[in-house]
């Protein structure tokens, strides 16, 4: 057995240069289905959001699209296919990913393992933060918060050392636990990762999309999960499967910015993604058109299903710009204090 705390175990399982899950040639699409893979309507909605950001920024000479956790470039490729020539001429796309640059990515796209600095435009992180490694802790029978250790070969867990002062302070502020058996996932590394990414925006909009939770709905027993070959499996950190944990979406928010928490269902609806079925009369007048519209409605319904992809949380943060037009009327916008 090899026992490790969850953060180094996830780091090794996901990103090890020799056997890390995200180094595999098939990429994430070989193992699980994201919004990008579910329908081209997701990329179309992100493209619409980018156009609204461009307009709100006054159509800058160079407009950035930063895709963090870019996988094999599927979202970048899909968004670029939806943009008018005038915008493409000013666009600087970035794919941020540790894997090698994928074949077939448009030549205009820059591929990097770090978010760019000093850019103006849209930063979009779809299912990235849930793979940023983090430690977990559990309250023992004496009320002491201790790190959880995991066996990297079996996924079995045990209690380890008492947590550090920094992690105890994070838990006290964001995820208080007191009863024996309660589990906390220490989100400090994700807070820092998001802060670094957003700091790279000179002006623009930053969007984090992930399964997550806020202070009023913390999971009592943790959220580590594994995915392999399209199925959920035990989160064994041996490199054979994806290992994720849900995101504390309130703690990651960078202070001082105009911010919105909403669901993917509400965000995509605001961006024009509708699961409404076409009128039945269309089946008689245009059978092929009816089938296309019906298929599109099914894809949109999957993207906005509150029990599935529509249940993702969206954190939207505006950096030196007003909120984009489509999302501006959604309830919940607030300016965060430090």
């Amino acid at each position: 057995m090899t026992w490790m705390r969850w953060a180094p175990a996830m780091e090794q399982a996901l990103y090890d240069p020799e056997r890390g899950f995200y180094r595999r040639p098939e990429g994430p699409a070989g193992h699980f289905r994201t919004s990008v893979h579910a329908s081209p309507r997701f990329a179309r909605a992100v493209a619409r959001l980018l156009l609204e950001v461009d307009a709100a920024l006054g159509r800058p000479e160079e407009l950035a699209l930063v895709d963090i956790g870019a996988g094999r470039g599927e979202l970048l490729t899909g968004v670029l296919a939806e943009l008018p020539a005038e915008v493409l001429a000013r666009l600087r796309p970035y794919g941020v990913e540790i894997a090698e640059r994928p074949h077939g990515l448009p030549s205009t796209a820059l591929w990097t393992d770090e978010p760019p600095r000093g850019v103006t435009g849209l930063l979009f992180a779809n299912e990235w933060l849930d793979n940023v490694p983090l430690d977990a802790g559990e309250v023992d029978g004496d009320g002491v918060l201790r790190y959880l250790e995991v066996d990297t070969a079996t996924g079995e867990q045990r209690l380890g050392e008492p947590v550090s002062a920094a992690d105890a302070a994070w838990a006290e502020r964001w995820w208080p636990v007191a009863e024996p058996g309660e589990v906390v996932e220490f989100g400090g590394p994700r807070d820092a990762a998001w802060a670094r990414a957003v700091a790279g925006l000179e002006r623009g909009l930053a969007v984090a999309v992930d399964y997550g939770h806020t202070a009023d709905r913390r999971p009592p027993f943790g959220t580590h999960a594994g995915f392999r070959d399209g199925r959920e499996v035990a989160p064994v950190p041996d490199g054979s499967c994806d290992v994720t944990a849900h995101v504390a979406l309130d703690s990651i928010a960078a202070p001082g910015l105009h911010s919105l928490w909403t669901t993917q269902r509400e965000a995509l609806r605001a961006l024009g993604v509708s699961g409404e079925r076409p009128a039945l009369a269309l089946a008689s007048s245009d059978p092929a058109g009816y089938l296309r519209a019906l298929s599109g409605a099914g894809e949109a319904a999957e993207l906005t299903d509150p029990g599935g992809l529509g249940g993702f949380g969206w954190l939207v943060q505006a950096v030196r710009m007003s909120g984009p037009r489509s999302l501006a009327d959604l309830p919940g916008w607030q300016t965060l204090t430090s």
Side-chain angles (χ1 to χ4, degrees):
M1 288 187 175
T2 301
W3 293 95
M4 304 174 72
R5 279 164 39 181
W6 268 107
M10 286 181 69
E11 182 71 35
Q12 176 177 281
L14 298 178
Y15 305 119
D16 181 83
E18 299 299 325
R19 61 187 189 94
F21 177 81
Y22 278 100
R23 306 285 189 178
R24 295 174 132 197
E26 71 271 19
H31 296 274
F32 52 87
R33 182 177 174 86
T34 72
S35 300
V36 181
H37 310 123
S39 171
R41 281 165 173 73
F42 187 76
R44 197 169 301 151
V46 176
R48 175 174 172 177
L49 182 60
L50 177 63
L51 293 176
E52 293 188 4
V53 169
D54 184 39
L57 292 170
R59 295 181 172 83
E61 184 176 338
E62 181 174 288
L63 177 70
L65 170 60
V66 183
D67 179 12
I68 302 188
R72 298 302 180 265
E74 299 95 334
L75 180 60
L76 271 182
T77 301
V79 172
L80 267 58
E82 298 290 336
L83 298 175
E86 185 277 327
V87 174
L88 286 172
R90 294 184 287 112
L91 188 70
R92 179 60 62 92
Y94 296 85
V96 182
E97 182 59 77
I98 63 154
E100 295 295 320
R101 181 187 180 96
H103 296 295
L105 192 70
S107 60
T108 55
L110 301 178
W111 198 257
T112 175
D113 60 0
E114 286 290 334
R117 316 298 293 177
V119 299
T120 296
L122 174 63
L123 182 150
F124 202 88
N126 185 53
E127 295 192 59
W128 167 54
L129 288 168
D130 67 325
N131 288 129
V132 172
L134 82 175
D135 279 317
E138 181 179 324
V139 181
D140 71 10
D142 297 320
V144 177
L145 183 57
R146 296 179 177 274
Y147 288 114
L148 279 170
E149 297 177 343
V150 59
D151 175 22
T152 59
T154 68
E156 182 183 348
Q157 296 186 88
R158 72 180 185 187
L159 292 178
E161 295 295 316
V163 305
S164 68
D167 281 337
W170 187 92
E172 183 177 0
R173 179 179 181 185
W174 294 109
W175 194 332
V177 289
E179 297 299 319
E182 286 187 317
V183 172
V184 54
E185 293 159 351
F186 302 105
R190 291 162 174 194
D191 300 351
W194 182 246
R196 287 194 301 272
V198 174
L201 274 181
E202 184 66 29
R203 290 193 304 147
L205 196 73
V207 181
V209 182
D210 246 308
Y211 280 126
H213 45 76
T214 52
D216 57 337
R217 291 189 176 183
R218 299 289 189 224
F221 305 117
T223 64
H224 278 102
F227 296 91
R228 181 174 56 238
D229 298 331
R231 292 177 295 180
E232 185 168 354
V233 296
V236 179
D238 61 358
S240 69
C241 65
D242 186 24
V243 178
T244 77
H246 292 188
V247 179
L249 290 169
D250 45 357
S251 81
I252 67 167
L257 301 179
H258 197 46
S259 305
L260 169 70
W261 287 271
T262 189
T263 64
Q264 175 153 299
R265 177 181 177 85
E266 295 306 315
L268 290 186
R269 282 182 161 187
L271 290 165
V273 178
S274 171
E276 183 177 349
R277 294 168 64 92
L280 191 58
L282 185 63
S284 300
S285 61
D286 182 5
Y290 175 78
L291 290 176
R292 286 194 300 271
L294 191 63
S295 174
E299 292 176 2
E302 181 181 4
L303 288 173
T304 58
D305 177 6
L309 296 174
F312 275 112
W314 279 43
L315 168 65
V316 183
Q317 297 201 275
V319 180
R320 301 182 187 93
M321 65 166 282
S322 59
R325 184 181 60 206
S326 291
L327 304 184
D329 292 333
L330 291 179
W333 282 96
Q334 58 181 290
T335 299
L336 302 179
T337 57
S338 58

